[in-house]
Amino acid sequence: MNVKRNILLNPGPSTTTDTVKAAQIVPDICPREEEFASIMKELREDLLKIVHADPEIYTSVLFCGSGTINIDVCLNSLLDEGKKILVVNNGAYSARAVEICRYYGMPHIDLSFPADEPPDLELVERTLEKNPDIGLVHTTHNETGTGLLNPIKEIGAAAHRHGAIFTVDTTSTLAMRPINIADENIDFCMASAQKGLNGMTGLSFIIGNREIIERSASFPKRSYYCNLYMQYHFFETTGEMHFTPPVQTVYAAVQALREYFEEGEEAKWIRHTRAFNAVKSGLAELGFREAIRTEFQAGLVSSVVYPDDPNWNFERVHDYCYKRGFTIYPGKISGTDTFRLCVLGAIDENDIKDFFNVFREALDDCGVSVPAIYKEGNR
Ligand SMILES: *Cc1c(COP(=O)(O)O)cnc(C)c1O
């Protein structure tokens, strides 16, 4: 196969291997055949292994959709009558969860914190104390909008002390940064195939506590297509996805999982870290500043502050890099202009070094000063 290799530094989809791309080219098959059901059965079991989930306690449920479907499904399916949702919100993806609560008209508390630091855990605890009707706590692990890592273990412990279910959006850490579902106090986590697994878009999955899913059978039903219990029950009784699965994407995900286990959890995280460190040193060499302090970062997404240079033009720099096979992405922090460099994909430090050669050319082409200019006080 001869497909041009692009280096995606956007926050997913990520750069895939040729073998994952090729895995999609298979004979046509009806997904209702037993052959296909057995592929999904194995896939569901393998997904548990990524987060070291005991199959006696946890299960995984597949959905056809992008990662947002998981947030939608968890929130709308796991809230019992008379309960409310607490969203620990310090970024764009938790804000999306708040928006989902609003669209369904579900009672919720939007506990907002600044986007550039971890949330105040004492305030989380006090909010849970004051609101004994909180039935579900939700937050985001790596806030992909900024690259900030949230203290999920502590938030999960607080949720459990108050008898609430804990759901975590791990879309931009799962299969990259090692996660142990039980140790992190997670009841439900989630991701989609095109992020850390380096598979294709269209397949998402939730890994979570089987007993809670079964209990949720009696919870109010707020969606038909996006109900967790209904999808789980269908998988358990028939082995199939309730409605048509993304067939070719499933084949690619199976190959991506094979490659994940071949590389190994630890080696993969070391590779991501190597690429991330190359991003940080490349930025430092050019005098670019990051919006999030290093000690708060998840090690996968860098939010870079626009330089105070009249010649800086994100679109022009983007277009220059894009034409040469490197994709950079706008930021998502209100009040600070940033762009993002993410290392989610099947890439390594050499790709990042190649990127910085092109980025440097782009800066020269635009007439942007190096080292980058910042007014005092602009971190
Ligand atoms: C990518 C991502 C999602 C899913 O976004 P889609 O636009 O639906 O692909 C959800 N949460 C986080 C933290 C993400 O990084």
Side-chain angles (χ1 to χ4, degrees):
M1 215 181 47
N2 195 4
V3 182
K4 180 174 168 249
R5 182 163 178 265
N6 285 330
I7 303 302
L8 301 185
L9 303 176
N10 48 297
S14 44
T15 296
T16 59
T17 60
D18 283 354
T19 36
V20 166
K21 291 182 189 77
Q24 297 176 98
I25 302 170
V26 288
D28 293 326
I29 182 170
C30 170
R32 299 298 176 205
E33 289 299 329
E34 207 181 302
E35 182 185 342
F36 197 78
S38 72
I39 290 172
M40 284 197 292
K41 181 170 185 287
E42 211 179 306
L43 175 62
R44 287 178 64 208
E45 290 164 1
D46 282 344
L47 289 171
L48 296 182
K49 295 178 194 158
I50 298 179
V51 293
H52 308 278
D54 177 352
E56 296 286 313
I57 302 171
Y58 302 94
T59 185
S60 73
V61 185
L62 311 177
F63 286 88
C64 183
S66 78
T68 303
I69 199 170
N70 293 325
I71 315 175
D72 187 327
V73 167
C74 279
L75 297 181
N76 90 60
S77 307
L78 295 170
L79 184 69
D80 203 357
E81 194 72 61
K83 299 281 188 182
K84 61 166 84 122
I85 294 175
L86 171 66
V87 181
V88 179
N89 174 6
N90 59 352
Y93 289 91
S94 288
R96 189 174 294 179
V98 171
E99 208 167 346
I100 290 169
C101 293
R102 231 184 298 127
Y103 269 56
Y104 281 106
M106 295 186 287
H108 65 281
I109 299 172
D110 174 6
L111 194 62
S112 313
F113 296 99
D116 60 355
E117 58 186 31
D120 175 353
L121 292 170
E122 237 166 73
L123 190 52
V124 172
E125 182 75 39
R126 256 182 289 138
T127 306
L128 282 157
E129 262 164 34
K130 264 194 279 175
N131 299 275
D133 57 348
I134 291 170
L136 190 158
V137 176
H138 177 87
T139 198
T140 307
H141 193 198
N142 172 20
E143 250 304 347
T144 325
T146 54
L148 183 126
L149 185 72
N150 275 316
I152 53 170
K153 183 175 185 160
E154 289 75 10
I155 298 171
H160 291 165
R161 272 197 294 280
H162 295 273
I165 297 166
F166 184 45
T167 65
V168 188
D169 181 352
T170 51
T171 312
S172 60
T173 43
L174 196 137
M176 293 175 283
R177 208 185 150 91
I179 295 173
N180 181 308
I181 191 167
D183 288 356
E184 298 288 339
N185 296 319
I186 298 170
D187 293 315
F188 292 87
C189 59
M190 58 193 78
S192 48
Q194 83 273 14
K195 297 243 175 161
L197 265 184
N198 307 160
M200 295 295 156
T201 56
L203 177 71
S204 292
F205 50 90
I206 294 168
I207 302 169
N209 185 297
R210 191 187 286 272
E211 186 270 318
I212 298 175
I213 300 179
E214 282 174 2
R215 207 185 328 144
S216 77
S218 68
F219 292 3
K221 302 287 179 294
R222 301 176 176 89
S223 170
Y224 179 73
Y225 198 78
C226 295
N227 182 266
L228 182 58
Y229 178 76
M230 183 149 107
Q231 186 85 328
Y232 162 79
H233 185 68
F234 207 82
F235 265 120
E236 293 295 301
T237 50
T238 69
E240 295 175 15
M241 198 178 277
H242 201 168
F243 304 108
T244 308
V247 177
Q248 288 70 21
T249 297
V250 168
Y251 282 100
V254 168
Q255 177 62 24
L257 266 167
R258 202 172 287 144
E259 293 176 19
Y260 172 84
F261 291 117
E262 270 167 21
E263 183 173 13
E265 178 183 51
E266 194 186 343
K268 189 168 188 287
W269 174 233
I270 289 171
R271 174 170 58 76
H272 286 293
T273 303
R274 201 159 55 221
F276 192 66
N277 288 338
V279 165
K280 292 180 81 75
S281 57
L283 289 170
E285 240 167 72
L286 298 172
F288 277 74
R289 297 182 186 178
E290 294 183 282
I292 303 295
R293 282 157 60 180
T294 297
E295 67 263 37
F296 295 155
Q297 292 175 356
L300 292 158
V301 174
S302 170
S303 279
V304 188
V305 180
Y306 281 7
D308 297 311
D309 186 317
N311 289 334
W312 169 258
N313 181 327
F314 174 78
E315 282 70 32
R316 261 190 75 181
V317 173
H318 165 274
D319 293 354
Y320 188 98
C321 297
Y322 182 74
K323 267 190 221 141
R324 290 157 182 81
F326 298 91
T327 303
I328 63 174
Y329 205 73
K332 243 186 190 175
I333 311 177
S334 59
T336 312
D337 283 329
T338 54
F339 67 97
R340 283 179 282 175
L341 301 176
C342 313
V343 296
L344 313 187
I347 58 174
D348 209 332
E349 62 184 339
N350 288 339
D351 299 308
I352 303 300
K353 284 180 185 154
D354 292 345
F355 161 71
F356 274 103
N357 290 334
V358 171
F359 185 67
R360 174 84 200 229
E361 282 171 24
L363 298 177
D364 289 344
D365 190 63
C366 295
V368 175
S369 297
V370 172
I373 302 165
Y374 288 97
K375 288 193 207 115
E376 246 355 86
N378 201 350
R379 190 164 65 218

